[in-house]
Structures are given as C-alpha cells and as structure tokens.
C-alpha cells in the first residue's frame, strides 16, 4: 500500500485531488493530509471522506520543521504531493511576507524532511519515492503576442510577489534535483476552476456575487486572458506525473482554453440564466448590469497560455472537460452547496472583500 503525504489538502485543488485519488484507488492507497488550515483551508471540503481508515488529517504548518519531521519519522511516506501555499495574487500584492514564508521556506522544510527520510547512506534515494511540487504557469510571466505559449523551456519571469515566491520554490526543488539527484517532478499548471474554490478567485466570486445581485468587479479593461482548466483534469495530470513522469522533469499542464476575463463573466451570467428555474427569484438578479469595471490589479499579467505538448506526448494526458461542461458542473456544485458558500463568506471574508473592493 502506497502512502501519500498531501500538503494543503484542505484547500481547493488539494481537496479535489484527495477525492480523485480515493475514488480511483480506494483502499490501495493511504493519504495523510497535512494542512495549517489558514483562511483557505476548510475541513468541510473533506467531510465525506474523513471517516475512512486510509485517510488521516494532521493540522500542521509546513514551516514547522519538527511537526513535518515527525510525520516522516512516524510514517513510511512514498509520495509527497506538495500543494500547500499562499495562492492568491491580490493578497500577495497587499501582504507579500507570508507568501515568502509559506511558499519558499515551507517548500524548503518539506524538501529537507523528505530528503532526510528518503536518503540512503551512499547518498542515493530509496526506490519508488517521489516529491511532486505543484506549481503555476505564472512563473513564466506574461504573454502578449497571440499564438505564443509557455513551454517547459520558457525562461522564468515572475511579476507578482505570489509568482516570485512560487518561482523561488520551483528553483529550490530544481536545486535539490540537480545537487542531490533528489527524486522529484515539478508541474506548472494554468488557472483551475471547479468545486470547493474559495470565492476570492474570479470564477467562484462572480458566481457568488451574481446569485446575490452584487456587483461583478472586472479589473482594468477585462481583456486579460487566462487558460482555464477543470480541477479534476489537473488532479488526473498530477496522478499521471506521479505514476509515469520521468524523474527530474517538469511538465506544463493547461486547458487549451484561453478566455478573456470579461468573456468568463458573460459565460457565467448566461449559464446561470439557463440553469436557474423561472420561479427562482435569483434569476431576475443575474444580469449584465452587474458588471462593473474597477481599478486594475497592480502589475496585472496580460495573458497566460500553456502548451501542454510534453505531458501529452510523454504521458498521454490531455484536458478532458470542455469549459461549457466544466462551468455547468461548477455552478451546479455551488447550487447544491449553498451552506458551504455561506460558511466561507462569513467573518473574515467580509473584511477582506470590503478592503479589497472598496
Ligand atoms: P488554496 O489557497 O485553495 O489552498 C491552499 C491550502 O494550503 C489551504 O488548505 C491552506 O490552509 C494550506 N496552507 C497554506 N499555508 C500553509 C502552511 N504554511 N502550512 C500548511 N498548509 C498551508 O490553493 P489552491 O488554489 O488549491 O492551490 C494549491 C496549489 O496549486 C498551490 O501551490 C498553487 O500555487 C498551485 N496552483 C494553483 C492554481 C489555481 O488555479 N488555483 C493553478 C496552478 C497551480
Ligand atoms: O495561472 C495559475 C494561477 O491562477 C494560480 O497560480 C493562482 O494560484 C490562482 O489564483 C490563479 O491566479 P489568477 O490571478 O490568474 O486568478 P484570479 O482568479 O485571481 O484572477 C483571474 C483573472 O481575473 C485575473 O486576470 C484577474 C481577474 N480578476 C480577478 C478577480 C478576483 C478580476 O477581473 N476581478 C476579480 O475580482
């Protein structure tokens, strides 16, 4: 039985990944989820699996060496899947330090503890061990020319404190691979969307605001482009890289699905209109009049677009969920989980929202 140590498993992608893995492998695997439960971590995301005896939750901060070492000493970890991070660009612009602490120092602690647990006396590593570092396409900077893409060979050019911290963490992983032949892979993925996404990010924020008739804040001219990928397709890619990815390689993961932000907002409004029944009072609220162009994000990257050619050629991975289907699945999930949204938007969220969008 393989043991996976998942960091940040109570967040958006981490919790979807845990669901994906337990659904696919059942009792063949064991998952230990280590998460500090910051504002973005939510154990409600995992309440349907928390009773399973092959799933364990440990509340710990990845910058806490002792706590992380203890997990490695008490368990024979086979695979580390490292999601834990501060993940929101706008927050990084307002408060960069915690991004450096969690994303850079936290990754260094994870690497060190895994190395200590897995290294043999001759400096080689135990068979079958792997550290998968989950990273972002934002490390590559911004594209301007249509038809250009981020490849694994594209030079790093991060602009926000968030992407700079992720680029630093990627470099640390690379340094471990280069220096120690530490068994790792890096994945750089484009924008994810789907169930359990915290409503500070564009898609859940727009869905939530539209359903309550609140303004829909679009930064700048709304023409910035992101390449959207359904989160379960990302989970599948990560599983394939763990299983089949060649050690020391980087794989770009993307949706072949570039859209301007304003297009995303309009698609959400149209889909909500289609999905809400005529007698639902929210239907009347969901109109284009809610769209409000607001001050642009500082240093706002214009366009991201991934070329997932290598992961397709080497591992056979391709995005499977069309955006029109993925967005319906996402909206349906939010319809069925109103309580989840209520809980995450109470308390601190209101304070964040007011400060951010005043
Ligand atoms: P998220 O913010 O939803 O979740 C992050 C999780 O990490 C939360 O559960 C949080 O509690 C936990 N965490 C934060 N600091 C921690 C710490 N110090 N110790 C332990 N746990 C801590 O993020 P997400 O959107 O699920 O992203 C997960 C990973 O994927 C991140 O590394 C991010 O950079 C990367 N990524 C995200 C996207 C995207 O579109 N969301 C795309 C590509 C890559
Ligand atoms: O590309 C991968 C990255 O995607 C991940 O590494 C990050 O963790 C993830 O947060 C995401 O970053 P973005 O900044 O692209 O995502 P966000 O949802 O914050 O914004 C998407 C686009 O929408 C971006 O161009 C900014 C814009 N936007 C965002 C918000 C929250 C708005 O116009 N209005 C908003 O209110």
């Amino acid at each position: 039985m393989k043991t996976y140590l998942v960091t940040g498993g109570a967040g958006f992608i981490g919790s979807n990944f845990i669901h994906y893995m337990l659904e696919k492998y059942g009792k063949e695997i064991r998952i230990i989820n280590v998460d500090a439960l910051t504002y973005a971590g939510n154990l409600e995301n995992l309440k349907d699996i928390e009773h399973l005896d092959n799933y364990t939750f440990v509340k710990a901060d990845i910058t806490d060496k002792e706590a992380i070492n203890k997990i490695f000493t008490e368990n024979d970890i086979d695979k580390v899947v490292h999601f834990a991070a501060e993940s929101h660009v706008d927050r990084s612009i307002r408060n960069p330090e915690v991004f450096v602490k969690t994303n850079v120092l936290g990754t260094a602690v994870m690497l060190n503890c895994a190395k200590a647990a897995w290294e043999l006396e001759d400096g080689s590593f135990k068979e079958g061990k792997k550290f998968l570092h989950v990273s972002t396409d934002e490390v590559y900077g911004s594209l301007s020319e249509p038809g250009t893409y981020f490849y694994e060979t594209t030079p790093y050019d991060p602009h926000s404190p968030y992407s700079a911290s992720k680029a630093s963490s990627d470099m640390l992983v690379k340094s471990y691979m280069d220096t120690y032949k530490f068994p790792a892979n890096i994945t750089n993925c484009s924008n994810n969307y789907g169930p359990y996404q915290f409503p500070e990010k564009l898609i859940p924020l727009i869905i939530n605001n539209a359903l309550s008739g609140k303004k829909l804040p679009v930064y700048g001219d709304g023409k910035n482009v992101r390449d959207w990928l359904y989160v379960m397709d990302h989970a599948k890619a990560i599983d394939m890289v763990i299983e089949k990815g060649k050690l020391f390689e980087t794989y770009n993961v993307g949706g072949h699905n570039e859209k301007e932000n304003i297009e995303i907002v309009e698609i959400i409004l149209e889909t909500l209109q289609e999905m809400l029944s005529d007698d639902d009072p929210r239907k009347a609220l969901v109109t284009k009049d809610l769209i409000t162009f607001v001050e642009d994000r500082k240093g706002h990257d214009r366009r991201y677009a991934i070329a997932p050619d290598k992961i397709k050629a080497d591992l056979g991975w391709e995005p499977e969920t069309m955006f029109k289907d993925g967005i319906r699945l996402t909206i349906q999930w939010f319809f069925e989980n109103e309580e989840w949204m209520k809980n995450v938007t109470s308390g601190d969220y209101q304070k964040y929202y007011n400060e951010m969008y005043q």
Side-chain angles (χ1 to χ4, degrees):
M1 186 193 244
K2 264 186 278 188
T3 300
Y4 290 73
L5 177 58
V6 176
T7 71
F12 162 49
I13 308 177
S15 58
N16 277 288
F17 175 76
I18 291 175
H19 280 113
Y20 176 88
M21 294 296 281
L22 289 172
E23 174 85 7
K24 177 168 175 190
Y25 295 104
K27 299 271 176 200
E28 281 172 43
I29 62 167
R30 189 160 81 98
I31 292 185
I32 301 169
N33 171 17
V34 54
D35 198 300
L37 300 181
T38 68
Y39 78 93
N42 186 353
L43 288 181
E44 262 192 74
N45 300 1
L46 298 154
K47 67 173 184 296
D48 54 329
I49 55 122
E50 67 189 4
H51 63 281
L52 297 175
D53 54 15
N54 57 337
Y55 168 77
T56 313
F57 174 70
V58 180
K59 184 172 187 298
D61 192 310
I62 55 164
T63 62
D64 179 347
K65 270 189 246 180
E66 272 178 30
I68 301 300
N69 243 332
K70 188 164 180 278
I71 299 172
F72 276 97
T73 347
E74 290 177 355
N75 301 278
D76 182 14
I77 306 293
D78 297 298
K79 315 285 178 190
V80 173
V81 193
H82 179 37
F83 293 99
E86 286 293 331
S87 69
H88 192 41
V89 174
D90 292 324
R91 288 186 194 252
S92 82
I93 294 167
R94 299 161 76 86
N95 181 19
E97 278 180 24
V98 65
F99 284 72
V100 178
K101 184 172 182 226
T102 293
N103 300 1
V104 186
L105 179 62
T107 300
V109 168
M110 289 306 303
L111 287 166
N112 253 340
C113 293
K115 178 174 173 287
W118 293 346
E119 198 170 23
L120 297 167
E121 273 180 12
D122 65 359
S124 67
F125 289 89
K126 292 179 188 165
E127 271 300 302
K129 306 295 184 189
K130 184 180 275 192
F131 187 105
L132 179 78
H133 178 61
V134 181
S135 192
T136 170
D137 60 357
E138 299 200 11
V139 298
Y140 297 121
S142 181
L143 296 160
S144 43
E145 297 304 315
T148 51
Y149 296 95
F150 296 137
Y151 292 89
E152 288 79 359
T153 49
T154 302
Y156 276 26
D157 184 21
H159 298 130
S160 72
Y162 163 70
S163 54
S165 69
K166 290 297 290 188
S168 309
S169 66
D170 291 11
M171 290 300 159
L172 270 175
V173 178
K174 186 177 174 315
S175 78
Y176 270 61
M177 297 193 286
D178 293 350
T179 307
Y180 310 111
K181 297 279 167 281
F182 178 75
N185 286 120
I186 299 172
T187 52
N188 294 92
C189 187
S190 64
N191 286 61
N192 284 216
Y193 69 100
Y196 305 109
Q197 189 167 28
F198 193 78
E200 63 188 350
K201 307 282 165 46
L202 181 71
I203 289 185
L205 186 145
I206 296 297
I207 296 172
N208 185 41
N209 281 19
L211 287 171
S212 22
K214 277 172 71 180
K215 287 182 181 166
L216 310 178
V218 177
Y219 299 164
D221 63 4
K223 290 187 191 300
N224 296 65
V225 172
R226 297 293 183 264
D227 171 3
W228 295 94
L229 179 71
Y230 191 61
V231 64
M232 280 300 180
D233 287 348
H234 188 189
K236 183 173 180 181
I238 291 171
D239 177 35
M240 287 173 93
V241 173
I242 295 168
E243 287 301 305
K244 304 197 281 180
K246 212 167 134 210
L247 285 183
F248 319 125
E249 293 291 324
T250 286
Y251 296 92
N252 280 357
V253 184
H256 275 309
N257 180 42
E258 286 178 57
K259 297 215 183 305
E260 290 181 350
N261 294 334
I262 189 68
E263 220 182 321
I264 292 288
V265 175
E266 286 169 359
I267 293 172
I268 292 172
L269 290 173
E270 282 155 23
T271 315
L272 284 171
Q273 274 295 335
E274 283 164 24
M275 291 176 73
L276 286 165
S277 62
D278 288 341
D279 58 357
D280 192 317
R282 294 174 298 179
K283 193 159 181 153
L285 303 174
V286 175
T287 74
K288 283 193 181 178
D289 297 341
L290 296 176
I291 296 175
T292 312
F293 290 91
V294 299
E295 190 186 330
D296 208 353
R297 176 183 276 175
K298 287 190 173 65
H300 198 175
D301 286 337
R302 193 61 172 168
R303 173 175 165 254
Y304 302 145
I306 281 274
D309 303 7
K310 176 172 165 182
I311 190 167
K312 182 178 179 195
D314 292 2
L315 310 184
W317 178 88
E318 273 190 289
E320 287 171 18
T321 313
M322 302 287 291
F323 190 73
K324 68 175 174 42
D325 301 325
I327 199 69
R328 286 186 87 89
L329 288 172
T330 305
I331 290 173
Q332 187 59 38
W333 187 87
F334 281 109
F335 281 165
E336 287 163 10
N337 292 275
E338 279 180 43
E339 205 52 35
W340 183 95
M341 186 60 98
K342 254 189 222 146
N343 292 342
V344 301
T345 51
S346 62
D348 282 354
Y349 179 80
Q350 288 310 327
K351 190 167 169 271
Y352 163 78
Y353 194 90
N354 293 339
E355 282 172 14
M356 179 68 208
Y357 292 96
Q358 217 160 32

